[in-house]
Amino acid sequence: MDMKLSTYARQQGISYKTAWRWYKAGMLDAYQTETGTVIVRDPQTAQPVTGRIALYARVSSLDQKEDLARQLARLKDYAAAKGYQVSKEVTEIASGLNDKRPKLEKLLADSSIGTIIVENPDRLTRFGAHYIVTLLEAQGRHVEMIFQTDTGDELVDDFVCVLTSMAARIYGRRQSKRRAEKIKQCVEHVMRDEEPEEC
């Protein structure tokens, strides 16, 4: 059943301000009526939480340690708002292109973990998040993502994935994220019909 944004916020255990920010960022399936009321369309039935719950946060480099702490804090807030009892918190500093991440591998191999909460698919892995989700679901486990996309625009997300991969091959993995981020900003400017600052 469709509901007002304020009702959605109460139901999710978040503030109206947070719900409004999610709506403005395009992270909710919602629309605004002529009178200005924001209506959230009926969300799909959430998957039941089974087993132990783990939080997984990841950043690409050491200079993003503060971002890692903020990301983990957001995951904790989300879990608390949902009333989840978190049994494990995993943080990792590694490229999303790196398929040898020991902490993530250990988390995925731990069958006692029924639900892994991540901020968005990119935090889990730059490519192939869908396959990880599918394999876990086959085991009766699942990944819960706070946001389904990184930017709120699926086309931009796909484009950034391709650019990141290409930049990693050309410039090396360490610099690829930075270069891809700059290209992403240029693409977003163009999509908003703005003049790019320096592309």
Side-chain angles (χ1 to χ4, degrees):
M1 181 184 221
D2 293 356
M3 64 190 84
K4 289 183 179 179
L5 187 63
S6 56
T7 306
Y8 172 82
R10 278 196 305 276
Q11 190 181 83
Q12 297 299 312
I14 59 174
S15 69
Y16 181 83
K17 187 176 178 181
T18 298
W20 175 257
R21 194 170 63 245
W22 289 2
Y23 165 68
K24 292 303 282 181
M27 295 170 180
L28 294 178
D29 183 12
Y31 61 94
Q32 196 163 23
T33 66
E34 291 178 10
T35 61
T37 304
V38 176
I39 303 295
V40 180
R41 291 185 181 93
D42 188 18
Q44 293 180 347
T45 306
Q47 291 177 291
V49 175
T50 58
R52 294 166 60 220
I53 297 172
L55 308 179
Y56 180 76
R58 181 193 64 77
V59 292
S60 298
S61 59
L62 281 169
D63 59 352
Q64 295 177 302
K65 272 191 172 180
E66 289 182 10
D67 293 339
L68 185 63
R70 285 191 291 270
Q71 187 183 142
L72 184 61
R74 288 190 296 269
L75 291 173
K76 286 179 181 178
D77 290 345
Y78 174 84
K82 290 278 198 172
Y84 294 161
Q85 294 294 316
V86 175
S87 60
K88 198 169 195 175
E89 296 173 8
V90 179
T91 59
E92 197 158 38
I93 299 174
S95 168
L97 295 169
N98 185 352
D99 61 357
K100 300 236 184 289
R101 285 184 271 146
K103 290 184 178 182
L104 178 60
E105 286 179 22
K106 188 174 178 183
L107 185 61
L108 294 172
D110 185 349
S111 59
S112 72
I113 299 295
T115 302
I116 300 171
I117 301 174
V118 296
E119 196 163 46
N120 58 53
D122 175 53
R123 297 302 91 202
L124 188 61
T125 183
R126 179 57 79 174
F127 293 105
H130 173 72
Y131 298 115
I132 293 174
V133 169
T134 301
L135 288 169
L136 287 176
E137 285 176 357
Q139 299 172 4
R141 303 160 67 197
H142 79 279
V143 176
E144 189 166 327
M145 297 178 193
I146 299 178
F147 307 116
Q148 290 302 312
T149 72
D150 194 9
T151 65
D153 187 314
E154 194 175 338
L155 180 62
V156 173
D157 287 338
D158 289 346
F159 192 61
V160 169
C161 283
V162 172
L163 289 173
T164 302
S165 177
M166 291 173 64
R169 288 176 184 228
I170 296 169
Y171 304 109
R173 293 186 177 199
R174 191 166 284 184
Q175 295 179 18
S176 65
K177 180 73 173 176
R178 205 170 328 131
R179 289 177 186 270
E181 186 62 35
K182 186 170 181 176
I183 294 169
K184 175 180 129 185
Q185 289 169 359
C186 291
V187 170
E188 288 173 341
H189 280 295
V190 170
M191 290 185 74
R192 288 194 302 262
D193 292 327
E194 296 175 4
E195 188 67 32
E197 295 167 8
E198 186 186 324
C199 295

